[in-house]
Amino acid sequence: MTNATNAKADQFQLDAEAKAFDREHRRKIRFNIGKYDAAVSAGLKLYDQHELARDRGAYLKATVLEKLDEYLLQFEAAFTARGGRVIWARDAAEALAEIGKLTAARHTQTVVKAKSMTTEEIHLNKYLASRGIESVETDLGEYIVQLNGERPYHIVTPAMHLSKADIADIFVKHLGIAHTDDAQQLVLTARHLLRHKYTSAEVGVTGGNFLIAKEGAIAVTENEGNARLSATFPKLHIAVVGIEKVIPQLTDLDLFWPLLSTSGTGQQVTVYNTVYFGPRQPDEVDGPEEMVVILLDNGRTNLLAQPDKRAALRCIRCGACLNVCPVYKNIGGHTYETTYSGPIGSVISPHLSGLPEHKHLSYASSLCGACTTVCPVRIPLHNLLLLNRKQSVEEGYAPTEEKLAIGLWKWSMQHRWALDVLPAKIKDWSLGRLLGQVGWSKRRAALAIAPQSFRELMKARQAPR
């Protein structure tokens, strides 16, 4: 492994330890995730046959992935028939280059953005800033973390790590308002500042929760209405959507919208659910003059080409696996240093962004299986984490020290006599040193190891008395 790769893994360890022992951080996360847990628990009771819904969701997504190329072409044909435009982007660089051309053609000064993980994935805000274009996050949580110079903390709740007092301090610092503890006043302040951005922006950018193949449409689900405003007021609407987001037809939304909302927030359905079929038609009174969908690969075909890991592409980004993960709840979303955190991030990031740089994330798991248990489309997340570990070893990314240790253990297991060559005290000392290097004894009491080997103990027990 390169020094940069080692540095990334080492930094992860340092950040994870710092967050795990930050009591204030853990208090906030316990409080915020606790509210979601209660809401989701209540929401699931409204389902008559939730397990059947999960089965159907998993089956439909798996079916689409088996013929993804056909479904994407079907979407393109239907969408372009209504005047829309589709751009295929192999990676982040291609996606950004196309967005650069589109914004330049309209002499863009301001872009309003709805909440979108794919635009986070390609670092769109940074790119637009480098071209002198103001990019404004309109989702309240995204707006808060943007003001604070942070990445989203959570797939669904970008500002989950912040308390009301933290948000008030951010608004005072960056917006110059008087300090207030009134949450409603903070929300109204943000809405007031964002309102004129919608009407002045030349371009609106959204993601897409689902690509609807048969009808050629983009489905967007939200709770604030900012995506509708971002897509409607500007003359150009750009939707950046991962190629795996396809569902067969419009009527499948009656399955996926409730699955997404109930697993993510406990709602029967989110407040605003919009389906965009393309630009404004001659008989329509509102909507953009032009609508462009950028179909983003950016490593997704790496997963598609691996049948044993392909199930990860079923993900509908509900965030449920993050909320139940004991590791995520202890180390927090920012520690992962990736767009997608938690169990699903640990599974897909090594394939989207590079296995050498992110293989350590697949080891950041207790393998308890809670993530698999709650996934609404039955992704076997804990099994996929194991497969990632296996792949990293097979491709030679295991640390040299680990290879030597495993090699020595394997040899000693095959040559049993070697275990008795050294005295028990020396072996105990060696084991203590090894555990100390991997951090075992840093937060734990020293292991109480027997003064004699197992074989010596057995001989003593079997000796005639």
Side-chain angles (χ1 to χ4, degrees):
M1 294 194 299
T2 64
N3 290 335
T5 300
N6 283 325
K8 204 158 193 174
D10 291 344
Q11 189 61 49
F12 175 83
Q13 293 282 358
L14 292 172
D15 293 343
E17 182 172 355
K19 283 297 182 185
F21 289 92
D22 182 342
R23 293 188 177 184
E24 180 61 15
H25 169 263
R26 293 180 69 174
R27 181 191 67 78
K28 293 173 185 175
I29 299 308
R30 278 199 302 269
F31 176 78
N32 289 329
I33 288 184
K35 291 168 63 178
Y36 277 93
D37 288 344
V40 169
S41 180
L44 289 176
K45 293 177 182 177
L46 300 175
Y47 260 98
D48 183 36
Q49 298 185 62
H50 183 243
E51 294 306 308
L52 178 59
R54 293 177 70 201
D55 288 339
R56 289 177 173 172
Y59 172 78
L60 274 176
K61 291 292 287 184
T63 300
V64 168
L65 291 174
E66 291 298 321
K67 298 181 179 180
L68 185 59
D69 55 341
E70 296 178 18
Y71 280 104
L72 288 171
L73 290 172
Q74 183 183 19
F75 164 80
E76 181 182 35
F79 185 72
T80 54
R82 290 177 57 86
R85 180 182 169 197
V86 173
I87 296 174
W88 301 73
R90 286 176 293 186
D91 53 29
E94 283 193 4
L96 292 173
E98 293 295 338
I99 293 172
K101 294 175 187 176
L102 292 167
T103 53
R106 290 190 174 272
H107 306 288
T108 304
Q109 294 182 320
T110 302
V111 169
V112 284
K113 275 182 76 270
K115 184 180 180 304
S116 163
M117 295 307 295
T118 47
T119 57
E120 290 291 335
E121 185 181 330
I122 64 176
H123 306 293
L124 178 58
N125 286 344
K126 182 178 179 181
Y127 172 78
L128 292 174
S130 71
R131 297 174 66 86
I133 299 172
E134 180 187 26
S135 180
V136 183
E137 295 286 355
T138 61
D139 173 85
L140 181 59
E142 292 277 2
Y143 181 64
I144 291 166
V145 296
Q146 183 184 35
L147 282 177
N148 210 34
E150 296 179 313
R151 300 187 318 277
Y153 183 91
H154 188 281
I155 290 175
V156 175
T157 317
M160 179 181 276
H161 60 303
L162 300 172
S163 65
K164 183 172 66 175
D166 294 330
I167 295 169
D169 290 341
I170 291 170
F171 277 31
V172 169
K173 178 180 178 181
H174 296 283
L175 301 179
I177 68 169
H179 192 280
T180 177
D181 291 327
D182 186 344
Q184 186 175 6
Q185 184 59 44
L186 293 171
V187 172
L188 289 174
T189 297
R191 285 181 176 173
H192 175 74
L193 292 170
L194 290 172
R195 182 65 61 173
H196 80 280
K197 297 292 184 182
Y198 293 117
T199 55
S200 62
E202 296 85 0
V203 177
V205 176
T206 71
N209 295 95
F210 301 102
L211 288 165
I212 305 169
K214 182 179 178 181
E215 288 81 7
I218 302 288
V220 176
T221 180
E222 53 168 332
N223 276 318
E224 299 174 18
N226 57 81
R228 285 187 177 182
L229 295 172
S230 297
T232 303
F233 277 109
K235 293 183 178 181
L236 169 62
H237 172 198
I238 302 173
V240 185
V241 190
I243 57 173
E244 82 283 13
K245 292 297 188 70
V246 184
I247 59 174
Q249 56 190 359
L250 191 66
T251 52
D252 293 322
L253 287 173
D254 71 350
L255 170 66
F256 285 106
W257 266 342
L259 273 177
L260 173 60
S261 57
T262 304
S263 297
T265 60
Q267 297 167 279
Q268 288 180 276
V269 69
T270 46
V271 178
Y272 298 98
N273 293 283
T274 312
V275 183
Y276 300 98
F277 291 89
R280 183 172 69 242
Q281 301 299 298
D283 58 342
E284 294 176 342
V285 297
D286 59 13
E289 294 177 355
E290 183 182 5
M291 182 174 176
V292 178
V293 173
I294 296 179
L295 296 176
L296 181 67
D297 179 354
N298 205 36
R300 286 160 175 80
T301 49
N302 293 336
L303 272 172
L304 189 65
Q306 303 177 67
D308 58 342
K309 303 184 184 74
R310 188 178 296 164
L313 293 175
R314 295 182 208 159
C315 179
I316 58 175
R317 305 292 192 266
C318 67
C321 61
L322 282 67
N323 295 340
V324 299
C325 178
V327 175
Y328 179 88
K329 287 190 283 189
N330 277 283
I331 68 174
H334 290 155
T335 302
Y336 291 81
E337 285 288 341
T338 58
T339 302
Y340 306 103
S341 54
I344 187 61
S346 296
V347 167
I348 66 176
S349 294
H351 302 282
L352 301 186
S353 306
L355 184 61
E357 295 83 359
H358 298 99
K359 68 104 182 173
H360 62 278
L361 297 179
S362 297
Y363 292 84
S365 169
S366 65
L367 298 177
C368 65
C371 50
T372 299
T373 301
V374 300
C375 178
V377 286
R378 296 197 185 282
I379 301 173
L381 288 160
H382 66 293
N383 286 334
L384 297 180
L385 290 168
L386 284 172
L387 289 174
N388 278 1
R389 297 181 187 187
K390 180 174 180 284
Q391 183 180 347
S392 69
V393 172
E394 290 176 342
E395 295 186 9
Y397 297 125
T400 302
E401 298 84 354
E402 181 180 302
K403 293 178 184 177
L404 290 173
I406 295 297
L408 181 60
W409 174 84
K410 180 180 178 181
W411 184 87
S412 65
M413 290 296 101
Q414 294 172 333
H415 301 82
R416 185 65 182 79
W417 58 268
L419 293 177
D420 293 325
V421 170
L422 297 174
K425 289 185 178 180
I426 294 180
K427 288 187 286 188
D428 293 349
W429 178 84
S430 300
L431 181 60
R433 290 278 296 178
L434 176 63
L435 293 177
Q437 288 179 356
V438 298
W440 174 272
S441 58
K442 189 170 185 179
R443 303 285 178 182
R444 301 175 178 89
L447 290 176
I449 304 175
Q452 295 175 289
S453 70
F454 176 77
R455 179 171 290 188
E456 289 170 340
L457 289 169
M458 285 298 295
K459 281 183 178 181
R461 184 169 182 173
Q462 294 171 354
R465 298 179 181 177

